């Protein structure tokens, strides 16, 4: 018992010291930048897209392998047995018993042979086949980087929405809690006035009904906050703590919608990915046409042949062969022409896809911009509504005390005030989400813009590592230059310079107009 009591006292002392240490440590609120940084490093959707992009980087290595030599070795052991029937053995002592044999026996011959061959092949000119494949792979990689940018923007948009949703629901819960407290006091006051005969039982019932409704709304607000917290944890990677107010996005937003359109056409990853997809399919048209061209390669074989048993290396025969091969396609039954026509139509579809992506993006910009305008207007209206409802509620309570207002008037005034406060909270949330949506459509919703101090992931780093890797040979470069003379080059389009969240707006701050 003494030991158990001592253990309990020690545990209590440890807990007390821990509580004291936590109380002495200042608690810092979690910021939006913290949430973005954590999601940027740990979000599984973003991590998977980065892995997909690294896998796509390998396509250039695989395409360039067509300019590199191939070396293979093969070995073979051949055992054979030959039997010849009907051979006469008369007068021959075949079994060593001193008595000549008689009759006919089968003659059997056995042998084994080893063969080893070393084969080297080096393409010299592929008619542009490999060059076109490399160009298409490079365009695919650029399109993949834009897809990575888009996934990153989607994740950041989810983080921002989850962050402001939690803050909105926390504020809504506080409003609901305050509403319950006010209505509880109103019910207590109604009961007291009913006891002295100032009001009727109907007034008390009205207060009870409003309190019950407020308690139900409070439970709904608690549930909604739990849902928003779960969404936050899913996208960020941890449960939200005390969230600081979100920073202003004014430094990233344009002054008018025309600027937003211009930036989106240059910077939106959906449009840029469509443009790179068209470049890739254009290169594949060239690759299909290159199937009509001749190709040149050189190679050689080195082989050894000899008996497996008995094994005598000095008796092995060595064969060395060198060759230069020119291959000219003459007739393929229409297969090559069909492939060319198919690739041309795929390129046409990709070029049309650029316009489709552009229209979709411009529609998104227009929609997000108008939602932003509406949210900003709602903020102003809700602020005026809260101000007026606060004055009205206070005045109604005072007028009730002198008999000019009834209980239902006070309850209605309180309800209007809480509705105005909730509308204001929702308007602030909607304005921030709409601003993030505008940035998403413009292609500015990136980690380097929102959190300038964050070490951003650069997909070019992995690609540069693969430029010279295992299998690279020095003569690959001149062969590639010659083979790619008539191949369209991949054109990496410039992007908008980085605009950080702390930067001043591109134009004088003003309320945007449609």
């Amino acid at each position: 018992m003494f030991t158990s009591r001592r253990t309990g006292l020690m545990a209590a002392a440890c807990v007390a010291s821990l509580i004291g240490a936590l109380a002495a440590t200042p608690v810092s609120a979690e910021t939006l930048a913290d949430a973005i940084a954590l999601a940027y490093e740990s979000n599984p959707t973003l991590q998977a897209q980065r892995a997909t992009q690294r896998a796509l980087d390998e396509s250039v290595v695989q395409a360039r392998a067509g300019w590199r030599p191939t070396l293979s070795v093969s070995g073979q052991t051949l055992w054979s047995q030959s039997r010849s029937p009907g051979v006469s053995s008369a007068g021959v002592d075949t079994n060593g018993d001193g008595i000549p044999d008689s009759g006919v026996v089968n003659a059997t011959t056995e042998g084994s042979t080893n063969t080893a061959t070393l084969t080297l092949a080096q393409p010299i000119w592929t008619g542009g086949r490999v060059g076109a494949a490399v160009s298409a792979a490079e365009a695919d990689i650029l399109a993949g980087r834009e897809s990575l940018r888009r996934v990153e923007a989607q994740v950041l948009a989810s983080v921002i929405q989850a962050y402001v949703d939690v803050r909105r629901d926390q504020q809504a819960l506080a409003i609901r809690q305050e509403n319950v407290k006010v209505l509880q006091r109103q019910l207590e006051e109604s009961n007291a006035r009913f006891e002295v005969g100032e009001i009727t039982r109907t007034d008390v019932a009205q207060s009870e009904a409003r309190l019950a409704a407020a308690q139900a709304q409070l439970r709904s607000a608690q549930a909604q906050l739990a849902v928003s917290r779960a969404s936050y944890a899913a996208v960020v990677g941890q449960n939200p703590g005390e969230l600081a107010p979100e920073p202003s996005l004014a430094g990233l937003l344009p002054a008018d919608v025309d600027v937003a359109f211009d930036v989106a056409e240059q910077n939106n990853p959906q449009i840029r990915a469509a443009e790179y997809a068209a470049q890739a399919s254009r290169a594949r048209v060239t690759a299909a046409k290159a199937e009509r061209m001749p190709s040149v390669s050189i190679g050689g074989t080195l082989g050894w042949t000899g008996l497996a048993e008995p094994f005598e290396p000095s008796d092995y025969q060595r064969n060395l062969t060198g060759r230069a091969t020119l291959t000219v396609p003459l007739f393929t039954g229409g297969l090559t022409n069909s492939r060319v026509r198919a690739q041309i139509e795929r390129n046409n579809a990709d070029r049309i896809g650029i316009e489709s992506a552009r229209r979709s993006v411009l529609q998104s910009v227009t929609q997000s911009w108008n939602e932003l305008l509406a949210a900003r207007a709602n903020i102003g209206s809700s602020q005026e509504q809260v101000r007026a409802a606060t004055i009205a509620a206070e005045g109604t309570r005072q007028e009730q005390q002198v008999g000019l207002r009834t209980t239902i008037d006070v309850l209605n005034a309180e309800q209007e005030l809480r509705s105005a406060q909730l509308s204001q909270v929702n308007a602030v949330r909607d304005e921030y989400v709409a601003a993030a949506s505008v940035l998403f459509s413009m292609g500015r919703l990136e980690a380097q813009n929102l959190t300038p101090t964050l070490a951003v992931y650069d997909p070019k780093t992995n690609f540069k590592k693969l430029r010279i890797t295992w299998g690279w040979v020095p003569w690959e470069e001149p062969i590639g230059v010659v083979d790619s003379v008539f191949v369209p080059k991949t054109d990496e389009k410039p992007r908008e310079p980085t605009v950080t969240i702390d930067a001043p707006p591109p134009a004088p701050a003003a309320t945007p107009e449609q």
Side-chain angles (χ1 to χ4, degrees):
M1 179 181 296
F2 177 76
T3 304
S4 176
R5 181 180 179 185
R6 182 179 64 182
T7 303
L9 291 175
M10 292 177 61
C14 292
V15 171
S17 62
L18 178 59
I19 293 176
L22 292 176
T25 303
V27 179
S28 59
E30 182 179 349
T31 65
L32 179 59
D34 297 334
I36 289 175
L38 183 58
Y40 190 79
E41 295 295 334
S42 63
N43 184 271
T45 302
L46 189 53
Q47 295 291 333
Q49 189 64 30
R50 290 171 181 169
T52 300
Q53 181 62 30
R54 290 192 293 270
L56 186 59
D57 290 342
E58 298 290 344
S59 61
V60 166
V61 180
Q62 297 165 13
R64 294 182 70 90
W67 290 326
R68 299 172 181 175
T70 58
L71 183 65
S72 62
V73 61
S74 62
Q76 178 180 339
T77 297
L78 176 65
W79 176 84
S80 64
Q81 182 184 70
S82 176
R83 175 174 296 182
S84 301
V87 179
S88 174
S89 59
V92 180
D93 182 9
T94 59
N95 54 11
D97 59 359
I99 301 174
D101 298 332
S102 61
V104 177
V105 298
N106 295 329
T108 302
T109 303
E110 295 182 355
S112 60
T113 304
N114 284 342
T115 302
T117 304
L118 187 66
T119 304
L120 172 67
Q122 171 63 62
I124 298 299
W125 188 56
T126 68
R129 297 173 180 84
V130 176
V134 171
S135 182
E138 291 173 345
D140 287 339
I141 289 173
L142 292 177
R145 291 176 185 173
E146 297 304 324
S147 298
L148 177 59
R149 285 184 60 220
R150 188 176 186 184
V151 170
E152 176 186 326
Q154 290 172 342
V155 170
L156 296 183
S158 299
V159 171
I160 290 175
Q161 180 171 343
Y163 190 95
V164 296
D165 282 352
V166 171
R167 277 186 42 80
R168 176 202 61 188
D169 294 338
Q170 287 175 341
Q171 297 174 35
L173 179 61
I175 293 172
R176 294 299 186 188
Q177 290 172 337
E178 179 63 22
N179 190 38
V180 169
K181 292 178 182 179
V182 171
L183 292 178
Q184 285 176 338
R185 291 195 299 268
Q186 181 65 34
L187 178 59
E188 293 171 359
E189 181 181 346
S190 298
N191 284 326
R193 296 181 65 190
F194 174 74
E195 293 294 335
V196 298
E198 292 185 8
I199 58 176
T200 65
R201 185 63 186 172
T202 301
D203 295 312
V204 176
Q206 289 172 344
S207 298
E208 291 174 342
R210 289 297 176 88
L211 177 59
Q215 290 172 338
Q217 292 169 347
L218 175 61
R219 287 189 290 271
S220 297
Q222 292 171 338
Q224 181 58 46
L225 177 58
V227 171
S228 297
R229 287 174 60 87
S231 299
Y232 181 97
V235 67
V236 175
Q238 69 178 19
N239 289 322
E242 180 185 355
L243 301 184
E246 55 273 7
S248 173
L249 298 177
L252 298 176
L253 292 171
D256 56 65
V257 71
D258 291 331
V259 176
F261 287 147
D262 294 338
V263 174
E265 290 197 42
Q266 178 187 5
N267 210 47
N268 184 275
Q270 184 178 351
I271 297 178
R272 292 171 62 87
E275 291 172 341
Y276 290 134
Q279 291 189 30
S281 61
R282 183 184 63 180
R284 291 187 172 94
V285 171
T286 303
K289 292 180 178 179
E291 295 297 326
R292 302 166 175 164
M293 302 294 292
S295 60
V296 180
S297 65
I298 59 174
T301 57
L302 177 61
W304 293 267
T305 304
L307 293 177
E309 186 180 357
F311 178 71
E312 291 293 341
S314 58
D315 294 338
Y316 272 62
Q317 179 183 1
R318 187 185 69 177
N319 301 309
L320 178 62
T321 303
R323 64 179 179 273
T325 304
L326 171 65
T327 303
V328 181
L330 297 178
F331 182 70
T332 61
L335 177 62
T336 300
N337 291 338
S338 176
R339 288 174 175 173
V340 170
R341 291 193 298 269
Q343 291 297 342
I344 290 175
E345 294 305 327
R346 291 190 181 100
N347 180 241
N348 290 335
D350 289 337
R351 289 189 295 106
I352 295 171
I354 297 175
E355 178 62 19
S356 176
R358 190 184 71 86
R359 294 185 182 185
S360 176
V361 168
L362 295 184
Q363 178 187 6
S364 298
V365 171
T366 303
Q367 179 178 349
S368 300
W369 189 263
N370 284 279
E371 290 175 353
L372 177 61
L373 294 178
R376 287 178 174 177
N378 289 340
I379 289 178
S381 299
S382 62
Q383 288 175 345
E384 179 62 23
Q385 184 181 4
V386 169
R387 185 196 64 80
T390 302
I391 296 174
E394 180 62 28
T396 304
R397 285 192 296 268
Q398 294 177 0
E399 291 172 358
Q400 184 201 25
Q401 294 175 359
V402 295
L404 298 178
R405 294 284 185 173
T406 63
T407 300
I408 191 63
D409 293 331
V410 175
L411 295 175
N412 289 339
E414 287 293 338
Q415 183 177 4
E416 290 178 0
L417 175 58
R418 304 309 169 194
S419 297
Q421 292 172 338
L422 291 173
S423 296
Q424 183 181 23
V425 170
N426 285 320
V428 172
R429 177 264 180 196
D430 292 343
E431 190 271 343
Y432 205 84
V433 171
S437 181
V438 171
L439 297 178
F440 177 87
S441 300
M442 293 171 59
R444 281 185 180 175
L445 196 64
E446 297 180 329
Q448 61 184 355
N449 295 338
L450 300 175
T451 54
T453 59
L454 181 66
V456 297
Y457 177 84
D458 186 6
K460 296 181 180 180
T461 302
N462 180 74
F463 180 77
K464 292 177 181 178
K465 292 179 181 178
L466 300 177
R467 183 61 183 85
I468 298 180
T469 184
W470 172 254
W472 180 86
V473 291
W475 55 87
E476 169 189 339
E477 305 301 329
I479 292 178
V481 170
V482 174
D483 195 55
S484 303
V485 170
F486 301 106
V487 174
K489 303 298 185 294
T490 301
D491 179 23
E492 184 173 1
K493 298 184 176 297
R495 281 179 49 191
E496 179 196 34
T498 301
V499 181
T500 63
I501 196 172
D502 297 325
T511 302
E513 299 178 357
Q514 179 60 35

